[in-house]
Amino acid sequence: MKSIFIDCSLGISGDMLASALFHVGVPKSIFLNNLVNLKIDKNFNIDFIADYSQGIKGILCNKNYIKNVRSKRSLNEIKKILFDSSLNDFVISKVIKVFEILAEAESIVHGLKINDVHFHELGSIDSIIDIVNVCSAIDFLKPEKIFASNPPAGKGSISSSHGVLPVPVPTVLEIARQQKITLNILDDKYMGEITTPTGIALIVAFVDKVEQPENINIKNIGIGLGNKNIS
């Protein structure tokens, strides 16, 4: 049985997961074709580069795009981008599922109807690309089962379009509450947002069990690096 185990004990985000799946063996063309199939700005580009964290070699997703592009989008606007794209039905349906998980949590956090929710950072093209990349990579691998460890909570605070927010941010907490996912409380030295809303929403959308499988026969290992130093 070909399965995936996502060890997110030191954090989980969309680009980290996409990088790990690339490292496992998903061809770069799968990701690059998304830029064409989404019919987005041609000035947007991504690359996967080898890098190191704490002496461990992994893959970092490097995204190049024009700053100050529009980022505030509603769920329906994101759906329109997807339905107007050339992505396959599986990828479109999974991307929508991820955004619906995010929208439901955001609607509760902000006291809005789901259709009135507007994604800020999550509505940016690079966030959409992260989610599309992960969905496309899993579509390519076609695992029979997906497992994951409980994601870490993180600590401290971050700046956002809504101002300063505590970590875990309210959307992450709400998704964890709704889906009955336990957030691991790490030591005080692990500060910052190391589990993102996109990361936990992808876990919810794809993972069959939030636990380590009893037996692991390792075929490939993929290490996706983030941009935070949590040492």
Side-chain angles (χ1 to χ4, degrees), residues 35-78:
L35 298 176
V36 177
N37 293 335
L38 266 174
K39 302 174 183 178
I40 59 173
D41 195 316
K42 294 180 180 179
N43 291 303
F44 192 105
N45 192 27
I46 61 173
D47 197 10
F48 294 99
I49 58 176
D51 207 342
Y52 292 85
S53 177
Q54 305 299 313
I56 303 298
K57 185 178 180 180
I59 299 296
L60 183 68
C61 182
N62 186 29
K63 289 173 280 191
N64 301 304
Y65 58 97
I66 297 176
K67 301 289 185 181
N68 300 321
V69 294
R70 181 185 174 203
S71 63
K72 184 179 178 181
R73 291 180 173 88
S74 68
L75 178 60
N76 286 335
E77 287 173 321
I78 291 173

Side-chain angles (χ1 to χ4, degrees), residues 28-231:
K28 188 175 180 179
S29 60
I30 296 294
F31 303 101
L32 294 181
N33 287 344
N34 289 336
L35 298 176
V36 177
N37 293 335
L38 266 174
K39 302 174 183 178
I40 59 173
D41 195 316
K42 294 180 180 179
N43 291 303
F44 192 105
N45 192 27
I46 61 173
D47 197 10
F48 294 99
I49 58 176
D51 207 342
Y52 292 85
S53 177
Q54 305 299 313
I56 303 298
K57 185 178 180 180
I59 299 296
L60 183 68
C61 182
N62 186 29
K63 289 173 280 191
N64 301 304
Y65 58 97
I66 297 176
K67 301 289 185 181
N68 300 321
V69 294
R70 181 185 174 203
S71 63
K72 184 179 178 181
R73 291 180 173 88
S74 68
L75 178 60
N76 286 335
E77 287 173 321
I78 291 173
K79 286 182 178 180
K80 185 177 187 307
I81 291 174
L82 296 169
F83 289 135
D84 289 343
S85 75
S86 299
L87 296 166
N88 69 41
D89 291 343
F90 174 87
V91 173
I92 291 174
S93 65
K94 284 298 187 180
V95 174
I96 289 175
K97 181 177 181 179
V98 172
F99 274 105
E100 286 177 340
I101 291 167
L102 290 165
E104 184 176 357
E106 291 267 354
S107 70
I108 293 173
V109 168
H110 299 293
L112 299 171
K113 294 180 180 178
I114 287 181
N115 289 335
D116 293 332
V117 169
H118 279 79
F119 299 106
H120 292 265
E121 292 89 348
L122 295 174
S124 64
I125 286 297
D126 57 329
S127 292
I128 295 171
I129 282 287
D130 286 340
I131 295 171
V132 170
N133 279 342
V134 172
C135 295
S136 298
I138 291 176
D139 181 41
F140 174 82
L141 293 172
K142 292 180 171 55
E144 295 182 37
K145 294 284 186 180
I146 301 180
F147 301 85
S149 62
N150 286 347
K155 295 181 181 180
S157 61
I158 62 165
S159 296
S160 75
S161 58
H162 297 290
V164 178
L165 295 176
V167 174
V169 296
T171 301
V172 168
L173 286 175
E174 184 57 35
I175 292 174
R177 184 191 70 81
Q178 290 180 13
Q179 305 298 328
K180 296 180 172 57
I181 293 176
T182 300
L183 295 175
N184 285 330
I185 304 299
L186 300 181
D187 294 337
D188 288 342
K189 65 180 180 179
Y190 295 107
M191 299 295 290
E193 185 186 29
I194 52 181
T195 290
T196 68
T198 298
I200 194 170
L202 284 164
I203 292 294
V204 170
F206 280 105
V207 168
D208 296 290
K209 289 186 178 181
V210 182
E211 64 179 31
Q212 182 170 312
E214 293 181 2
N215 299 294
I216 302 177
N217 182 13
I218 300 172
K219 298 295 185 181
N220 291 298
I221 298 173
I223 299 176
L225 303 179
N227 293 301
K228 289 185 173 64
N229 183 355
I230 63 170
S231 62

